[in-house]
Amino acid sequence: MVFDTPTLFLCVTIAGYAGSAILFAFQKVWKSRSRACSQSLVLWSAGLFVTGNGSVLIGLRGTIPDEFSIILANALIVLGTGLRRGGFAAFLGRPRFLGGYAAIALLWIALCFYPPFMNSFISRVNFMQACLIGSCLWVIWMAFRQNPENLKSAKLLGVTNIIECTAYVWFVIHQNILLFPTFLSVFQQDFMTAYLVTILASIIMTMVLPACMVIERASHRFKEEALKDPLTGLSNRRAVLNEAEDWIRSLSERASEVSYTLVLFDLDDIAAIKKRFGPEMNDSVLQLFGRVLAEEFKPPAMIGRIEGETFIAVLPDTNKEISFLTVQKTSRKFTNTFQDASNGKFGVSVCAGLVTATSDSPVERVMEAAYKGVSSAKRKGRGQIVAMDLAANGSLKQTLATGEFASLRRKAA
């Protein structure tokens, strides 16, 4: 096959139709797609199909009336481009501006009924290429500035549009310098070959990247779900421990050890609540404590739910006294909030064990010690907090503890 401009133009047209069919089929078979992803794929597919129809009409220029090969063809390309860009915007949850592209298409049609514009090939070229360049710039902006998930496939789409935009600029520059009188005269030029090769490559990437973005987003969400507690939305045990271990590894270049505190919270009498009021109330209590924990412990603190009614907080660069006071405040806030929510009919308290250690102490070892602190607190009664230090030799020393029911007092200091 000889890759002259007619052949390349045919390849661009076929690629548009093929991309439309592939993305539509992918939208049907990919079961893990979200609503946004489904809408995005449908818009991308429709955009490629509409653009392909426009390309067919342009390819028939000289054999069919100009009303079809010029006016309708370019209007379809504007609409198809708008649908594709709108598909990307829908994927990112941004405004699609489909009405704006429809308005541009109507403006194009209106201008074509103005003889000075219709008879000027350079005017028509500049109008269309300006629309395409503006569209590419919008995609580039979204890919690099409005991509909160930092998806690599979305950034690659941005790079693709940079290349595509360069091709449009290349075409405009040549046309405005050489001032070709008709499309057919441009079609025979060598620079048109490079232009069509670039557009073909862009369309091929457009066939692949929307599906890649959907798959990458699903992969990210699967990873997030694997590291999250589904009931409270907090991190799960593995996520918190991994994050804490990463923090400790990041301290390897420091000359001195850094202290940190690990806290385990255990809700009192949660089994009795479940038995008396059912699993829904049990879940509500756990969710409430999760919200209180998130409100009181801000980053760089690492919080999560271990299992059942047990929650964890890892506090980097925090001493024992500050950690103890924060745990008291958190426990008291939860107890008071729950009492208010139940109009004082019943209450739930929290026992906690916290261990302060240096960064050379493994997180798993510190957590084992914190479990001992929780057990000690529960033996003392409801709403108790026990704080301990973990020595370098692995021994534990209890250093702070609440008085009886201290975390249950509303006005405790």
Side-chain angles (χ1 to χ4, degrees):
M1 179 182 290
V2 178
F3 284 97
D4 53 11
T5 48
T7 303
L8 285 170
F9 192 83
L10 178 62
C11 290
V12 168
T13 304
I14 294 173
Y17 284 124
S20 175
I22 290 170
L23 291 179
F24 185 77
F26 180 78
Q27 188 269 149
K28 290 295 185 182
V29 301
W30 182 255
K31 301 301 182 182
S32 300
R33 66 187 185 276
S34 64
R35 180 181 176 85
C37 291
S38 181
Q39 290 177 346
S40 174
L41 290 170
V42 169
L43 288 171
W44 275 101
S45 176
L48 287 171
F49 181 77
V50 172
T51 303
N53 290 334
S55 298
V56 168
L57 293 177
I58 289 177
L60 295 175
R61 188 166 299 178
T63 61
I64 61 175
D66 288 348
E67 289 80 3
F68 295 101
S69 65
I70 296 178
I71 301 177
L72 180 59
N74 285 292
L76 290 175
I77 288 177
V78 170
L79 291 174
T81 300
L83 288 169
R84 288 164 52 196
R85 305 323 188 202
F88 187 45
F91 179 82
L92 296 176
R94 311 301 302 178
R96 304 170 196 177
F97 297 118
L98 297 181
Y101 280 93
I104 293 173
L106 290 175
L107 176 60
W108 161 262
I109 293 173
L111 288 173
C112 286
F113 283 97
Y114 179 59
F117 178 84
M118 184 63 178
N119 296 330
S120 172
F121 179 63
I122 187 65
S123 297
R124 300 200 310 267
V125 166
N126 288 340
F127 181 94
M128 286 300 302
Q129 298 302 308
C131 293
L132 297 174
I133 291 170
S135 177
C136 285
L137 293 176
W138 180 35
V139 171
I140 294 167
W141 170 259
M142 288 191 291
F144 292 103
R145 304 296 294 181
Q146 297 181 325
N147 179 13
E149 297 167 284
N150 201 30
L151 298 177
K152 294 180 180 178
S153 51
K155 290 184 176 181
L156 185 55
L157 181 65
V159 172
T160 300
N161 274 265
I162 291 174
I163 297 172
E164 184 177 342
C165 185
T166 302
Y168 295 139
V169 173
W170 171 267
F171 184 87
V172 169
I173 291 174
H174 276 77
Q175 175 58 34
N176 280 271
I177 292 176
L178 301 176
L179 296 176
F180 294 101
T182 64
F183 176 77
L184 294 178
S185 61
V186 177
F187 211 64
Q188 306 301 322
Q189 304 303 312
D190 292 338
F191 78 87
M192 192 67 175
T193 301
Y195 173 77
L196 290 174
V197 167
T198 305
I199 300 304
L200 177 61
S202 175
I203 291 179
I204 292 173
M205 294 300 290
T206 299
M207 295 165 56
V208 175
L209 288 176
C212 290
M213 290 189 296
V214 171
I215 294 172
E216 186 178 0
R217 172 175 284 177
S219 176
H220 281 196
R221 290 185 175 175
F222 289 148
K223 290 179 181 178
E224 288 177 359
E225 290 173 1
L227 296 175
K228 274 193 175 182
D229 171 52
L231 179 63
T232 64
L234 299 178
S235 299
N236 60 19
R237 173 187 177 127
R238 181 174 63 176
V240 174
L241 295 184
N242 287 347
E243 189 177 357
E245 288 169 356
D246 289 342
W247 173 75
I248 289 175
R249 280 194 292 269
S250 71
L251 303 174
S252 58
E253 296 182 357
R254 293 197 185 184
S256 58
E257 300 295 340
V258 177
S259 66
Y260 71 98
T261 300
L262 188 148
V263 188
L264 288 181
F265 298 89
D266 194 279
L267 276 62
D268 297 320
D269 300 328
I270 193 74
I273 289 177
K274 184 176 182 180
K275 182 177 180 180
R276 182 178 176 185
F277 300 102
E280 292 80 10
M281 177 62 77
N282 176 81
D283 291 348
S284 296
V285 173
L286 295 174
Q287 290 170 338
L288 175 61
F289 185 74
R291 289 196 296 272
V292 171
L293 203 63
E295 290 170 1
E296 295 300 317
F297 292 93
K298 302 297 184 182
M302 297 158 262
I303 61 173
R305 181 184 175 209
I306 296 293
E307 59 184 353
E309 63 271 19
T310 305
F311 293 76
I312 186 174
V314 180
L315 314 178
D317 293 311
T318 307
N319 62 41
K320 174 180 55 186
E321 289 75 15
I322 295 297
S323 300
F324 188 82
L325 292 173
T326 306
V327 171
Q328 277 190 320
K329 180 184 176 185
T330 303
S331 301
R332 192 176 302 122
K333 180 177 180 179
F334 167 69
T335 299
N336 294 339
T337 302
F338 189 80
Q339 286 179 340
D340 292 340
S342 64
N343 294 320
K345 294 180 180 179
F346 53 91
V348 179
S349 58
V350 182
C351 282
L354 60 126
V355 177
T356 300
T358 55
S359 54
D360 62 342
S361 302
V363 179
E364 291 279 4
R365 173 70 185 93
V366 179
M367 189 167 70
E368 289 175 8
Y371 271 115
K372 294 180 181 179
V374 171
S375 298
S376 177
K378 283 191 167 294
R379 287 195 298 269
K380 292 175 180 291
R382 296 173 60 241
Q384 301 299 299
I385 302 170
V386 171
M388 299 178 292
D389 285 323
L390 181 64
N393 61 5
S395 62
L396 278 170
K397 179 182 178 182
Q398 181 174 319
T399 54
L400 288 172
T402 56
E404 187 176 5
F405 301 111
S407 66
L408 300 178
R409 300 187 195 131
R410 276 185 176 272
K411 296 182 179 180

